[in-house]
Amino acid sequence: MENNASTPAHVVIFPQPAQGHVKPMLNLAELLCLSDVEVTFLVTAQIHHSLVNYSDTVARFGRYPGFGFKVVPDVRPTKEWLSYDHIQLMNSMVEGLAVNAKPLLEDMLSHNETTRVTCLIADGWYSFVHDVANEAGVPVISCCCAGASSLWSFFCIPWLFDAGQLPFQVSATEVAVMKFQSQKRSGGDEVADELNVPGMDAFLRYRDLPSFCRTKDKDSCLRLQQTCATEAERTKEAYGLILNTFEDLDGPTLSLFRSQCKRVYSIGPFDALLKHKLPQESAALINASGSLSVVDQTVFKRDELMEIWEGLVQSNKYFMWAIRPDLIKSNDGDFKTSEALLEGPKERGWVVSWAPQEAVLAHPATGGFLTHSGWNSTIESITAGVPMICLPYFADQQVNSRYVGEVWKVGLDMKDIYDRNVVAEMVNDMLDGKKDEVQKSMAKMSDAAKKSVAEGGSSYCNLESLIQDIKMMSFKGEHEVSELSALKE
């Protein structure tokens, strides 16, 4: 049955329960709300508690009567999870979430005319939601909160296994250390002309692949292969794919996705596009919302953290460092600095437990950003025009850091190396030796990011296409929207 013309489109958004996913998808939710699309934001109980108690999300979205939360019971990790590899841990958490979320999703997606859902915007790794939505006849639009290039590398992982190029014969970290120490080169250090990664074969190395690839365990490799194959197929089957990037940054990769997916909406940077559409006083709330008391998964060993600290001191540059209480892996000792260590930076260094990242990046005194290369941090830094030193740890961060250093040339990639001399050298290169070169590339890309979200820019126009398709979907159904979109193209 078709909706009455007065019934607005209603979208359910379901992010992964993590800072790096909730924050950008809240920005996406508000972009839809601004265009009179009703949004139900589906989150776990813990995430909902954090948003209500540790952010201004309630005040921010209180002005949108069509916005609301639905809460899924938390997935409680078992002790056995602590010994899981990353891919098994992710799969186990998703399996638990599927059990908890499925009844609520089935009820929400049922064809009730008063609350009828137009479409479901689902985060990556949530293949189970496609089954529920397909059963209910509700179209699914995939949304990736990682970078487009890292997502493409995940698409290619099954091909690497089929070609016998995974698993590693030598660990990526071992390769990086061997190169740093000028030891004999290993096969893991070669560029991707031997890797089956279309579009990245000129620059991607084994150690630039996602962290999930860093295992020699056959069972882990099989899980990785199966998971990536399933998620890639689900993304291809979806009505469309939303990416938090812009055409000038990821044009070649977006072309690869458009050869595989039905529709691709590159509408990033999400936060910059939203700020462009909001009045100034409302845009300020974006930075205060979406922050959770639960932090991301990037942690260090104590000796790694100390090498970074010593390198910052040795660089003789002014710095501010946000050191969370849980930054060090458990059972690895407390982060305690000696008097001698504190003596060096006490006039130049400022250590805090938390800092408003976007505000710091926007400050004119900020000349560089040492980052773990998560996608939110990467695209925020590009928007602000601040060069990066990349020290990736987890998941997509390895790919992002390679693009920052080698492809976009808006920073330096320090992947896998925790050495005070290298840290000091890279800080000085970014702020002195290679400053002009890196700043020139960054200024160009930052300007392109701002133009993409301005009226008439690529991301601005792609958002309009997304909203138009969602609203047509509300009235016509997916089949007729497909025909209309084909005619429009």
Side-chain angles (χ1 to χ4, degrees), residues 8 83 101 106 117 137 155 228 250 274 374 399 429 460 467 483 489:
S83 61
E106 289 174 337
V117 174
F155 266 48
C228 290
D250 272 318
L274 181 54
V399 184
D429 273 349
Y460 188 100
I467 292 168
E483 292 180 346
E489 292 170 359

Side-chain angles (χ1 to χ4, degrees), residues 61-216:
F61 284 91
R63 58 185 171 220
Y64 303 114
F67 178 89
F69 284 106
K70 288 285 187 180
V71 179
V72 176
D74 286 318
V75 179
R76 300 296 180 185
T78 63
K79 290 182 179 179
E80 288 77 15
W81 286 21
L82 298 176
S83 61
Y84 285 2
D85 59 62
H86 285 156
I87 193 69
Q88 187 174 359
L89 176 60
M90 178 70 74
N91 287 345
S92 298
M93 292 179 67
V94 170
E95 288 168 6
L97 196 58
V99 173
N100 290 352
K102 190 174 180 180
L104 178 59
L105 269 176
E106 289 174 337
D107 181 64
M108 292 176 65
L109 301 184
S110 62
H111 288 281
N112 183 324
E113 282 301 311
T114 60
T115 60
R116 188 174 187 273
V117 174
T118 303
C119 73
L120 170 65
I121 297 180
D123 207 335
W125 299 90
Y126 279 178
S127 60
F128 71 91
V129 305
H130 293 258
D131 296 327
V132 178
N134 290 342
E135 182 69 22
V138 175
V140 178
I141 299 177
S142 293
C143 180
C144 179
C145 295
S149 300
S150 61
L151 179 62
W152 180 253
S153 71
F154 278 107
F155 266 48
C156 296
I157 283 174
W159 304 341
L160 293 172
F161 278 103
D162 290 343
Q165 296 170 333
L166 286 178
F168 289 157
Q169 298 304 308
V170 178
S171 79
T173 302
E174 289 170 347
V175 169
V177 172
M178 284 191 289
K179 181 179 180 183
F180 171 65
Q181 296 174 337
S182 300
Q183 295 180 3
K184 184 178 179 181
R185 285 185 174 273
S186 166
D189 188 40
E190 295 178 7
V191 296
D193 53 3
E194 294 185 4
L195 288 177
N196 193 16
V197 186
M200 302 181 180
D201 57 333
F203 55 85
L204 204 71
R205 305 162 299 183
Y206 276 83
R207 67 177 186 270
D208 300 320
L209 291 171
S211 67
F212 298 125
C213 299
R214 297 186 169 203
T215 177
K216 302 175 188 177

Side-chain angles (χ1 to χ4, degrees), residues 29-31 33-34 59-68 274 278 282:
E30 189 164 6
L31 286 167
C33 288
L34 287 169
R60 171 183 169 186
F61 284 91
R63 58 185 171 220
Y64 303 114
F67 178 89
L274 181 54
L278 286 171
S282 300

Side-chain angles (χ1 to χ4, degrees), residues 84-378:
Y84 285 2
D85 59 62
H86 285 156
I87 193 69
Q88 187 174 359
L89 176 60
M90 178 70 74
N91 287 345
S92 298
M93 292 179 67
V94 170
E95 288 168 6
L97 196 58
V99 173
N100 290 352
K102 190 174 180 180
L104 178 59
L105 269 176
E106 289 174 337
D107 181 64
M108 292 176 65
L109 301 184
S110 62
H111 288 281
N112 183 324
E113 282 301 311
T114 60
T115 60
R116 188 174 187 273
V117 174
T118 303
C119 73
L120 170 65
I121 297 180
D123 207 335
W125 299 90
Y126 279 178
S127 60
F128 71 91
V129 305
H130 293 258
D131 296 327
V132 178
N134 290 342
E135 182 69 22
V138 175
V140 178
I141 299 177
S142 293
C143 180
C144 179
C145 295
S149 300
S150 61
L151 179 62
W152 180 253
S153 71
F154 278 107
F155 266 48
C156 296
I157 283 174
W159 304 341
L160 293 172
F161 278 103
D162 290 343
Q165 296 170 333
L166 286 178
F168 289 157
Q169 298 304 308
V170 178
S171 79
T173 302
E174 289 170 347
V175 169
V177 172
M178 284 191 289
K179 181 179 180 183
F180 171 65
Q181 296 174 337
S182 300
Q183 295 180 3
K184 184 178 179 181
R185 285 185 174 273
S186 166
D189 188 40
E190 295 178 7
V191 296
D193 53 3
E194 294 185 4
L195 288 177
N196 193 16
V197 186
M200 302 181 180
D201 57 333
F203 55 85
L204 204 71
R205 305 162 299 183
Y206 276 83
R207 67 177 186 270
D208 300 320
L209 291 171
S211 67
F212 298 125
C213 299
R214 297 186 169 203
T215 177
K216 302 175 188 177
D217 181 76
K218 292 184 178 179
D219 289 338
S220 296
C221 290
L222 180 60
R223 285 191 292 269
L224 175 61
Q225 182 182 19
Q226 293 172 339
T227 300
C228 290
T230 298
E231 295 303 326
E233 286 307 309
R234 289 299 199 184
T235 302
K236 294 174 187 177
E237 294 167 2
Y239 178 86
L241 171 63
I242 299 171
L243 291 167
N244 186 13
T245 189
F246 54 99
E247 299 290 332
D248 284 343
L249 184 68
D250 272 318
T253 305
L254 292 171
S255 295
L256 292 169
F257 276 114
R258 289 179 174 125
S259 71
Q260 301 285 320
C261 303
K262 296 176 183 177
R263 301 165 189 81
V264 176
Y265 306 97
S266 57
I267 61 172
F270 286 179
D271 58 343
L273 181 55
L274 181 54
K275 288 174 183 176
H276 177 81
K277 286 181 167 287
L278 286 171
Q280 186 174 358
E281 62 274 12
S282 300
L285 284 175
I286 300 173
N287 295 339
S289 299
S291 295
L292 311 177
S293 60
V294 180
V295 294
D296 60 33
Q297 297 166 309
T298 302
V299 291
F300 296 95
K301 295 179 180 178
R302 187 180 186 280
D303 58 345
E304 294 172 346
L305 201 68
M306 291 301 294
E307 287 297 319
I308 298 172
W309 178 270
E310 293 273 14
L312 290 173
V313 174
Q314 189 174 312
S315 73
N316 289 317
K317 302 296 183 184
Y318 289 91
F319 67 89
M320 181 181 74
W321 195 6
I323 302 180
R324 301 192 315 264
D326 61 344
L327 194 64
I328 300 177
K329 291 182 179 179
S330 60
N331 303 320
D332 201 24
D334 296 328
F335 180 55
K336 295 180 180 179
T337 58
S338 65
E339 289 299 320
L341 187 61
L342 288 174
E343 186 68 25
K346 71 178 183 180
E347 299 297 330
R348 294 180 283 102
W350 184 24
V351 180
V352 297
S353 61
W354 178 84
Q357 181 168 297
E358 290 180 73
V360 171
L361 289 174
H363 197 281
T366 302
F369 180 28
L370 196 157
T371 172
H372 65 286
S373 296
W375 185 243
N376 286 333
S377 294
T378 299

